[in-house]
Amino acid sequence: MVSDKMAKALNSQLNFELYSAYVYLAMSAHADSVGLKGFANWFQVQYEEEMFHAMKFFNYIMDRAEVELEQIDKPRKTYKDALEMFEETLKHEQEVTSRINELASLAIDEKDHATSTFLQWFINEQVEEEATVKEILDNLKLAGATGAGLFMINGELAARTFTPPATA
Ligand code: FEO
């Protein structure tokens, strides 16, 4: 069993991962609505990644405490352009990283070694999440968020497919 405080914090992160999935699903719909099919694909794959993260928390909480599902906040519906979508994505991932770090600190404070080990996967995953988003954002700034640059990046993002991340 984990402490009540830890159970609450883990359930809160489960909710935030589900909210993250919702944010990216809404971004996918928005990208599709403005004709950016490649961006729509990338955000749909991102949605699937977040659902994978959520289910990792769900299964861990089931093993060690009680799952308590909360209401999921309504995500934003529209964005100015592709650049803003990726600026917001980077900010969102930085927020996730900060929440994972808070959780990891709590696990250390509570000498909850099993939760510390569980969270290690997410610490590594966030390094990759931020780096991937930052690279796309840099490309958008370099190649241009309109015209030929946008068209090229849209084509690249169309190629992304969901592969369940390694869990080891
Ligand atoms: Fe679940 Fe993108 O962090």
Side-chain angles (χ1 to χ4, degrees), residues 97-117:
T97 301
S98 139
R99 287 170 183 251
I100 297 286
N101 285 342
E102 287 294 317
L103 262 180
S105 297
L106 179 63
I108 289 167
D109 290 348
E110 298 205 348
K111 298 186 173 58
D112 183 343
H113 301 296
T115 302
S116 279
T117 302

Side-chain angles (χ1 to χ4, degrees), residues 13 17 20 24 46 49-50 53-54 92-93 96 122 125-126 129:
Q13 188 59 30
E17 297 291 348
S20 304
Y24 295 132
Q46 191 66 12
E49 287 230 346
E50 298 305 341
H53 297 169
H92 188 86
E93 288 306 323
V96 175
F122 285 93
E125 174 77 354
Q126 280 312 118
E129 290 266 276

Side-chain angles (χ1 to χ4, degrees), residues 42-143:
W42 193 93
F43 282 112
Q44 202 166 319
V45 173
Q46 191 66 12
Y47 154 82
E48 290 181 85
E49 287 230 346
E50 298 305 341
M51 288 304 297
F52 182 88
H53 297 169
M55 291 311 293
K56 268 182 88 76
F57 274 100
F58 180 81
N59 288 321
Y60 182 74
I61 299 166
M62 277 206 304
D63 282 348
R64 306 211 60 226
E66 267 185 40
V67 169
E68 191 160 348
L69 294 173
E70 303 280 354
Q71 186 169 338
I72 302 166
D73 289 343
K74 185 173 176 170
R76 182 172 159 185
K77 195 177 165 198
T78 60
Y79 292 84
K80 189 158 61 84
D81 52 23
L83 193 63
E84 194 194 19
M85 291 174 89
F86 270 92
E87 280 166 351
E88 290 304 312
T89 299
L90 183 59
K91 267 192 234 163
H92 188 86
E93 288 306 323
Q94 286 166 340
E95 169 72 21
V96 175
T97 301
S98 139
R99 287 170 183 251
I100 297 286
N101 285 342
E102 287 294 317
L103 262 180
S105 297
L106 179 63
I108 289 167
D109 290 348
E110 298 205 348
K111 298 186 173 58
D112 183 343
H113 301 296
T115 302
S116 279
T117 302
F118 167 72
L119 290 171
Q120 201 59 51
W121 184 89
F122 285 93
I123 290 166
N124 295 333
E125 174 77 354
Q126 280 312 118
V127 172
E128 204 184 302
E129 290 266 276
E130 282 193 37
T132 305
V133 174
K134 174 101 177 20
E135 192 183 325
I136 297 169
L137 187 56
D138 287 345
N139 286 344
L140 276 168
K141 286 177 181 166
L142 266 172

